[in-house]
Amino acid sequence: GPFLARRAMPAEEETLAAVHRTLNEHAVLAGEPEELARDGARGMISGLDDPYARFIGPDELAGFRLESTGTYVGIGAMLHPDGRILFPIVGGPAEAAGLLPGDRVLSINGADTSTMNSDALAALLRGPRGSSVLLELERQDSTRTSTEIRRRPVPAGTVGDARWLDRSLGIAHVHLRSFAESTPRELDQALETLIAEAPLRGLALDLRFNTGGQLESAVAIASRFLHGELVCTLRDRSGQQQTRTANLALSRWPELPLVLLINESSASGSEVLAGALRDHGAAVLIGTRSYGKGIYQEVYDFGEGGFVMKFTAGMYFTPSGRALEGHLHPELAPGGLEPDVPVALDEAAAAAIHRWHNVNRPDPRWREQVEAAFPSYFPTEPPADAVEAAALELLSAAIQEA
């Protein structure tokens, strides 16, 4: 494996191998050899002084892989915080098995889960692709039923709130929670659902609280609003450059009036997208200065060692050559993107908007049943939002001038 390849090693690698071998053979308290190797890797990563480096051990791997793909392997049901089924995801295995909003999971494969909260339950419902899980359920009318569900990959939902801000003018709002493999397709679907009701003439794309994700996903989304231009440049430690360019085949709304909503929690992929669209004159930024995470990471998966490591390998620059990073060295500060139209929110307003963004909304076909089972769960009206109001004003003016 990647640990001890038989080759002429530089002295420091030999030292490391010797330390591993010595502890493994003589230390009374040495764990498994794999564990020793993991501890060594963990130590080296923590010694980097890299605020973005991460050691991901065996127990965190499943969550890490969910983050990067936007899909998880499970039964395809959203859970209410109290552990009941909030709604099944359309097209997923739970829907096919007949799960309904309000069902309580009494047991999983015979183990009592009746008092578990949603986090504990979610961990048990996930599992290897193709594996089966036997659920005993209590329906809202107190009847009991059991069903067997085969787990498979299910989208976690990275596009949140999508709605008209002004249907008569054709101005929509879509929130992107993160950038996963599934995000570009989810964005297309959200916009197509809206376009089925009225023509789209302006868009407020909300990147607040979106801390990033996959670069290729952000590039694919930028491509939809550009004409094939440069999205960003990546520069590694030796100064080598790579570029990411918008895919002309994905250019769908290059002329659409576009406002991006950003705040201090918009980072990484959000900043790459916002920097590219603004540099090319495709979007106006509204809100507060973004976080300033303009680095990319290398991810190494040591399968047989049971860990993944991530560390900073280079920096991103916007098409005009601006560095986004503001945290790696003091001289880079402040980093981030300054909005074209600054609009600040107080803490309570920001918290209410963040909560609204995090609500998992059911497909319209489940809406009535979910509202009946959980009458207080869905905030019906979006909270007061000065940033969104400013975006609407700007887009209205742009459309009425055109």
Side-chain angles (χ1 to χ4, degrees):
F3 298 115
L4 303 178
R6 293 268 168 239
R7 58 189 161 79
M9 286 196 221
E12 65 275 16
E13 283 190 37
E14 276 184 349
T15 304
L16 210 61
V19 169
H20 185 264
R21 195 170 52 242
T22 307
L23 293 175
N24 204 24
E25 290 172 7
H26 304 291
V28 170
L29 297 175
E32 293 296 311
E34 295 79 31
E35 213 175 309
L36 269 180
R38 276 201 292 272
D39 288 343
R42 190 185 281 113
M44 280 194 267
I45 287 177
S46 65
L48 287 177
D49 263 349
D50 174 349
Y52 302 119
R54 243 181 100 193
F55 176 91
I56 299 131
D59 39 348
E60 292 177 285
L61 279 175
F64 171 70
R65 297 202 166 107
L66 160 64
E67 245 170 69
S68 57
T69 60
T71 55
Y72 63 94
V73 178
I75 67 164
M78 288 290 171
L79 299 172
H80 184 273
D82 72 9
R84 283 180 296 160
I85 303 290
L86 189 58
F87 58 87
I89 292 168
V90 170
E95 185 187 57
L99 263 65
L100 298 172
D103 284 352
R104 184 175 294 287
V105 182
L106 298 178
S107 71
I108 298 179
N109 293 336
D112 179 8
T113 55
S114 55
T115 57
M116 284 189 178
N117 69 5
S118 58
D119 293 342
L121 211 53
L124 288 179
L125 289 171
R126 287 183 191 150
R129 180 185 194 137
S131 60
S132 280
V133 58
L134 182 65
L135 303 184
E136 191 191 349
L137 303 167
E138 183 174 35
R139 293 261 131 107
Q140 282 197 283
D141 61 7
S142 301
T143 58
R144 293 188 172 202
T145 178
S146 38
T147 181
E148 192 170 358
I149 303 181
R150 188 176 287 261
R151 297 180 177 104
R152 61 179 167 81
V154 189
T158 59
V159 170
D161 186 27
R163 62 190 146 91
W164 290 111
L165 293 183
D166 185 325
R167 188 188 298 202
S168 60
L169 283 177
I171 299 172
H173 168 276
V174 177
H175 180 249
L176 300 184
R177 294 172 173 177
S178 63
F179 296 94
E181 277 168 35
S182 56
T183 311
R185 194 174 60 250
E186 290 180 51
L187 174 63
D188 291 346
Q189 283 166 349
L191 290 174
E192 277 154 24
T193 303
L194 290 167
I195 292 167
E197 300 170 9
L200 180 66
R201 296 171 64 204
L203 177 62
L205 193 60
D206 199 338
L207 301 174
R208 291 175 296 175
F209 310 102
N210 179 333
T211 57
Q214 294 200 333
L215 175 64
E216 305 313 327
S217 172
V219 173
I221 285 170
S223 301
R224 282 151 169 78
F225 303 103
L226 292 172
H227 277 293
E229 296 92 337
L230 175 67
V231 174
C232 64
T233 304
L234 287 66
R235 203 174 298 157
D236 73 13
R237 64 185 262 184
S238 65
Q240 292 282 99
Q241 293 207 148
Q242 292 177 40
T243 55
R244 290 286 187 278
T245 306
N247 179 350
L248 199 51
L250 298 177
S251 180
R252 294 191 57 182
W253 297 286
E255 307 302 327
L256 185 71
L258 188 61
V259 172
L260 302 186
L261 283 55
I262 59 169
N263 68 0
E264 55 289 343
S265 302
S266 305
S268 194
S270 289
E271 294 174 297
V272 167
L273 176 62
L277 294 175
R278 174 163 68 187
D279 279 4
H280 293 302
V284 170
L285 309 186
I286 279 191
T288 50
R289 182 191 277 280
S290 65
Y291 177 78
K293 181 178 179 185
I295 55 100
Y296 61 92
Q297 293 169 301
E298 300 256 326
V299 179
Y300 285 84
D301 195 328
F302 290 85
E304 66 236 59
F307 69 93
V308 166
M309 63 181 189
K310 280 165 78 162
F311 54 88
T312 301
M315 286 174 53
Y316 291 131
F317 295 84
T318 72
S320 65
R322 263 206 59 157
L324 293 165
E325 177 55 40
H327 302 269
L328 212 50
H329 319 293
E331 66 270 20
L332 292 170
L337 297 165
E338 195 57 60
D340 302 301
V341 181
V343 182
L345 294 171
D346 63 50
E347 239 173 275
I353 291 160
H354 197 190
R355 270 199 307 279
W356 168 262
H357 278 167
N358 279 335
V359 170
N360 289 310
R361 291 171 178 79
D363 186 87
R365 78 185 75 171
W366 291 114
R367 184 95 217 180
E368 277 179 33
Q369 275 182 275
V370 174
E371 283 170 356
F374 302 98
S376 61
Y377 184 70
F378 289 101
T380 44
E381 284 301 304
D385 187 342
V387 182
E388 195 180 271
L392 176 58
E393 201 178 316
L394 216 69
L395 287 165
S396 306
I399 287 166
Q400 282 155 350
E401 271 164 35

